[in-house]
Amino acid sequence: MENVLSILFCLSLLYLALTSRVKHCVNVLQAQGIILAVINTLPLFHHFTLGEIILPAALLGIKGVLIPFYIRKIITDLDIKDPIEPTIQQFTFIMLVITLMSAVFVASGILAKSTEINIIPFASGFSAIITGILVIIFRKKLLVHVMGFLAMENGIFLFGSAIAFKLPVIIELGMLLDIFVVVFLMGIALNKISTTLSGFEAAQLRRLKD
Amino acid sequence: MAIIFSLTGLILASGAACWFVKDLKAQYFISLFAAGAHLLFSFALFTGICAPQLAFLSLDPLSRLFLIVVSNVYFWVVLVSYQYLKQSTAKGSGKKYYFIFLNVYLLANSAAILSNNFAMYWVVSEMTTLSVAPLIYYLRDEESLEAMWKYLFLVSVGIAAVFIGIIFLALSATGTVVEGKQLFFTDFIRHAALLNPVWLKASFIFIFVGMSTKIGIAPMHSADVDATSTSPGPIAALMSGSLRVTALVGLMRILQIVRGTSVYEFARFIMIIGGLLSIFTAFVFIFRVRNYKRLFAYSSVEHLGLIVLGVATGGLAFIGAMYHIVYNSINKVVIFFCAGSINQKYGTVDSEKVSSLLENMPWTGWIFMFSFLAISAVPPFGIFFSELKVFEGMLFSNRPWVLFAVLFFMLFIFINMGRVVLQMLYKKDENSKVVKERERVNITHAVSLILLVMLIALALFTPNVLKSTIIDIAKDFGAAS
């Protein structure tokens, strides 16, 4: 089941790379948040404890509801319009994403021979990190950069779930809260940028240089 | 243990009180009380008067030294903040939130330095970024907005890379006794020899690159330089003197783990490249920079580069680097206090538009000159002695060529920085619109003088506790026997 969900997660990344609509990107992030919450719920079917339901619930609340709601509010308030403009040709961008994702899957297969890792969630998580970075590098709108960062963070969560190590719930909640506060502050900054610098694109940020 | 909870409670209460109390002076005294209590606690920990035990806390010599460095910087920054805010003409709500975020900053930095767990370190390290970002935007102008955005974004991406490194570290423990357990530094250090070197190498790379955004190591230094140069004087001092030190803890922890493995040589090589690149970057940009705050931000890149080089070289250079952390943090506080005062008086950060500083602001001017001499390693200021140790360590290491490269770059950095500073101090400008009035001595001058004296006293009469702590850190890193 975890593998099926991870493949769905991977497909959502391809859509994130393909779409030119800002609102569709938010939908993708919301879907990823829900997938992550479900993946973290799966172990509870074998061994249910009340304490362990906190993390999936927080994931669903923050990544599945709160952050998408907040980003949609920013889009409406600032009237951010489509399309998402790339700084390179869209075809080249897609090819880059697909090539790197394929390389990650092949490399994960090789690594799995020497280390005990769950290939599909591991490779899907790492693909999200790479896709997130590529979105940040090759898109013009600052809000889309935030979404690239969030895709990267989602990938790290999935990637982490493929590896056996314990984190106290309080620390996992701390991580989620940190991410939410980062997005919250970025939202406030975007708001200020749109009024002060009259724009939402990275090209507007050229004042500080040597 | 009770003391830790009491102090945490005090800082939280101080932050909360600043939220509810609207009077700036009251906020100042509340925050100053918390800062004083924190300094006392850090001093007690440093001297061994108290030694609380908690599973998630690390009280090894490294944490104790770094905590007192951060606490010392924080205390003086809070002490001068009220005077700065009173004179500041900043628009908007910057003043309202200033002390609230300072308290959060103190809590996050202390937790990061004292944490014994990688995941906890990650969470609080991100919190340090979140607390300082609104402070960078204090002036509410276009430059500070851009700097805040870049800092928040780049450092958050860097911290995300650190988390990937932490996951790789967990992977390196597959098949060992540490597998599946919580990520305590102490456990990993104890069982370092069992870790998978390939994953450990990957972990080191990600943590080094990620933390570089916060430490300010080239080529990931840009957001740090932007933020330091656009934030108000006290905040720039705080970032240069303490935030980079907190970030350095993360790098030192992974190095401590790697030390007992075959990956150590690789890690040292990467750090030497990073350190050299930082000094080289400062060398290149210092020729072009006209903004004097930016100039000192690049000086921070240079000095952190030197610290990283010293740590990577090991032996005497490592010990020198530890002293350098102490002296550089104090020195940077004085420099940025002066830069903040000059900016308030002249209303510009362009060094070409600042003239006759010694005439117009004699107190600030002389302190500025001495702080420049101190950062340029002129004796008897501490940096002279720490750099001497780092250089001696490099000369007798297996890579003496590093020393020659460093000396070459640093000579030109000194010349260029000196040219700018001396121009600001002595150049006459008849068209200057600066109001010529007698400069009154204020708290910033008094604090700067205390810190300059501290820089000399610590170097000439180094307390035994400082010496022994640094030797203990060197032993933990295998740099002293």
Side-chain angles (χ1 to χ4, degrees):
Chain A
M1 187 65 180
E2 195 181 358
N3 288 348
V4 175
L5 289 169
S6 300
I7 289 168
L8 271 177
F9 186 91
C10 238
L11 291 174
S12 76
L13 291 173
L14 285 176
Y15 189 67
L16 185 73
L18 270 169
T19 187
S20 60
R21 302 246 172 125
V22 185
K23 282 187 179 167
H24 288 194
C25 285
V26 191
N27 295 344
V28 168
L29 289 176
Q30 187 160 33
Q32 287 183 351
I34 295 167
I35 291 172
L36 285 175
V38 176
I39 288 177
N40 278 276
T41 316
L42 292 176
L44 296 178
F45 287 109
H46 304 290
H47 176 71
F48 182 80
T49 54
L50 207 58
E52 283 179 24
I53 206 157
I54 296 172
L55 180 66
L59 265 172
L60 188 68
I62 293 179
K63 285 186 181 275
V65 181
L66 218 54
I67 292 179
F69 171 78
Y70 184 62
I71 297 179
R72 280 194 191 105
K73 192 175 174 313
I74 295 172
I75 294 170
T76 317
D77 289 354
L78 303 184
D79 196 22
I80 297 175
K81 291 194 170 66
D82 296 328
I84 297 171
E85 291 150 298
T87 53
I88 54 169
Q89 280 205 348
Q90 182 70 353
F91 178 74
T92 319
F93 181 74
I94 302 288
M95 289 315 290
L96 201 62
V97 170
I98 292 173
T99 312
L100 288 172
M101 276 170 87
S102 313
V104 166
F105 270 86
V106 172
S108 303
I110 297 166
L111 287 171
K113 286 176 190 161
S114 58
T115 314
E116 209 177 299
I117 49 169
N118 215 343
I119 303 176
I120 296 179
F122 183 88
S124 304
F126 215 88
S127 298
I129 293 165
I130 288 173
T131 310
I133 292 172
L134 291 176
V135 166
I136 292 169
I137 297 172
F138 296 117
R139 299 294 194 202
K140 286 183 184 171
K141 282 189 172 65
L142 290 171
L143 184 71
V144 182
H145 289 190
V146 177
M147 294 199 248
F149 168 72
L150 283 168
M152 202 177 146
E153 286 284 355
N154 287 343
I156 293 174
F157 262 83
L158 183 63
F159 184 52
S161 70
I163 295 155
F165 69 101
K166 271 190 208 161
L167 286 183
V169 176
I170 186 101
I171 287 182
E172 299 222 40
L173 291 180
M175 286 173 178
L176 281 173
L177 191 68
D178 270 352
I179 293 163
F180 177 68
V181 179
V182 169
V183 176
F184 182 69
L185 283 179
M186 284 177 180
I188 293 174
L190 265 178
N191 213 323
K192 300 278 179 196
I193 289 171
S194 74
T195 50
T196 317
L197 309 175
S198 355
F200 323 100
E201 293 190 359
Q204 252 95 26
L205 305 177
R206 292 273 158 90
R207 274 159 192 76
L208 300 171
K209 53 186 173 188
D210 298 302
Chain B
M1 201 166 94
I3 192 165
I4 298 268
F5 286 117
S6 314
L7 193 75
T8 309
L10 178 69
I11 301 168
L12 281 174
S14 164
C18 291
W19 175 269
F20 290 111
V21 177
K22 301 294 172 208
D23 181 41
L24 198 65
K25 201 169 196 174
Q27 288 186 1
Y28 168 67
F29 281 115
I30 293 166
S31 303
L32 190 62
F33 179 72
H38 190 276
L39 186 60
L40 275 178
F41 166 73
S42 307
F43 185 74
L45 267 189
F46 184 64
T47 50
I49 295 171
C50 80
Q53 297 291 325
L54 261 176
F56 273 82
L57 291 189
S58 158
L59 292 173
D60 64 347
L62 183 77
S63 298
R64 285 190 277 122
L65 177 74
F66 280 37
L67 188 71
I68 189 107
V69 169
V70 168
S71 189
N72 179 48
V73 169
Y74 181 83
F75 177 77
W76 300 111
V77 165
V78 174
L79 192 61
V80 304
S81 283
Y82 181 66
Q83 193 235 335
Y84 180 86
L85 295 178
K86 224 171 52 177
Q87 290 178 351
S88 163
T89 51
K91 304 162 278 182
S93 53
K95 288 181 190 173
K96 191 173 147 192
Y97 298 115
Y98 185 88
F99 287 110
I100 301 170
F101 285 113
L102 272 188
N103 280 290
V104 180
Y105 176 88
L106 178 65
L107 193 65
N109 274 275
S110 312
I113 291 172
L114 293 179
S115 69
N116 182 26
N117 184 293
F118 270 111
M120 179 180 159
Y121 177 79
W122 188 88
V123 171
V124 284
S125 191
E126 178 71 358
M127 217 166 103
T128 59
T129 310
L130 299 176
S131 61
V132 87
L135 294 169
I136 296 168
Y137 184 48
Y138 168 80
L139 292 172
R140 303 289 192 263
D141 56 11
E142 291 175 4
E143 282 79 14
S144 62
L145 178 60
E146 184 178 329
M148 179 185 86
W149 173 269
K150 285 182 176 170
Y151 188 80
L152 191 61
F153 200 84
L154 281 177
V155 174
S156 295
V157 171
I159 291 279
V162 172
F163 198 78
I164 300 171
I166 293 172
I167 294 173
F168 282 152
L169 185 71
L171 258 177
S172 76
T174 309
T176 70
V177 283
V178 197
E179 186 186 1
K181 289 190 179 166
Q182 290 191 12
L183 304 166
F184 287 118
F185 296 133
T186 35
D187 286 348
F188 276 86
I189 293 166
R190 203 174 305 129
H191 302 288
L194 305 173
L195 303 176
N196 180 323
V198 177
W199 288 114
L200 196 57
K201 205 180 258 188
S203 166
F204 180 83
I205 294 171
F206 274 91
I207 293 178
F208 179 71
V209 172
M211 288 322 299
S212 294
T213 56
K214 263 179 102 77
I215 304 173
I217 298 174
M220 316 295 287
H221 64 285
S222 64
D224 231 343
V225 170
D226 290 344
T228 314
S229 61
T230 49
S231 49
I235 301 305
L238 203 62
M239 290 183 73
S240 238
S242 66
L243 192 57
R244 289 162 190 248
V245 174
T246 306
L248 201 61
V249 172
L251 181 61
M252 300 282 284
R253 291 297 181 200
I254 185 75
L255 188 72
Q256 213 174 349
I257 294 169
V258 159
R259 194 184 72 79
T261 70
S262 55
V263 182
Y264 188 45
E265 268 310 306
F266 168 80
R268 285 176 65 190
F269 182 71
I270 294 281
M271 284 173 75
I272 286 175
I273 298 290
L276 267 181
L277 207 57
S278 301
I279 299 174
F280 175 71
T281 304
F283 160 77
V284 170
F285 282 98
I286 242 152
F287 279 96
R288 300 165 56 173
V289 173
R290 276 176 54 164
N291 176 332
Y292 54 87
K293 281 177 87 179
R294 226 171 154 75
L295 185 86
F296 296 119
Y298 275 111
S299 167
S300 286
V301 172
E302 173 206 352
H303 285 275
L304 264 298
L306 190 67
I307 289 166
V308 168
L309 272 178
V311 168
T313 305
L316 189 60
F318 183 95
I319 293 173
M322 291 299 110
Y323 279 109
H324 203 74
I325 289 169
V326 179
Y327 301 143
N328 179 55
S329 71
I330 297 173
N331 208 155
K332 281 287 150 53
V333 173
V334 184
I335 286 186
F336 280 107
F337 280 175
C338 292
S341 304
I342 297 167
N343 190 14
Q344 276 189 331
K345 171 87 177 173
Y346 284 79
T348 178
V349 283
D350 188 345
S351 59
E352 307 254 316
K353 291 179 184 158
V354 177
S355 55
S356 309
L357 200 53
L358 282 176
E359 251 177 58
N360 294 335
M361 301 176 80
W363 281 96
T364 307
W366 282 107
I367 293 169
F368 188 50
M369 185 197 275
F370 281 112
S371 62
F372 161 68
L373 293 176
I375 203 70
S376 306
V378 171
F381 294 104
I383 293 217
F384 168 75
F385 299 98
S386 60
E387 280 190 4
L388 209 61
K389 283 193 182 75
V390 174
F391 293 159
E392 197 180 333
M394 281 178 186
L395 185 65
F396 296 107
S397 71
N398 53 354
R399 292 184 184 95
W401 57 268
V402 173
L403 175 65
F404 299 109
V406 168
L407 286 176
F408 175 79
F409 296 143
M410 285 180 77
L411 175 70
F412 284 94
I413 290 171
F414 167 69
I415 293 171
N416 269 288
M417 207 194 270
R419 184 180 54 83
V420 173
V421 171
L422 293 178
Q423 260 189 15
M424 288 167 73
L425 290 168
Y426 291 106
K427 192 179 79 178
K428 302 271 183 218
D429 183 4
E430 301 303 327
N431 303 323
S432 173
K433 287 172 188 155
V434 177
V435 184
K436 298 203 173 172
E437 56 180 351
R438 203 162 159 259
E439 188 186 27
R440 288 192 191 148
V441 185
N442 58 36
I443 194 160
T444 309
H445 298 136
V447 167
S448 301
L449 285 172
I450 292 171
L451 291 174
L452 283 176
V453 171
M454 201 188 274
L455 265 179
I456 298 173
L458 278 177
L460 297 183
F461 314 102
T462 312
N464 283 335
V465 63
L466 179 63
K467 275 186 203 163
S468 62
T469 307
I470 288 179
I471 293 293
D472 287 344
I473 298 171
K475 280 180 187 165
D476 287 346
F477 281 81
S481 47

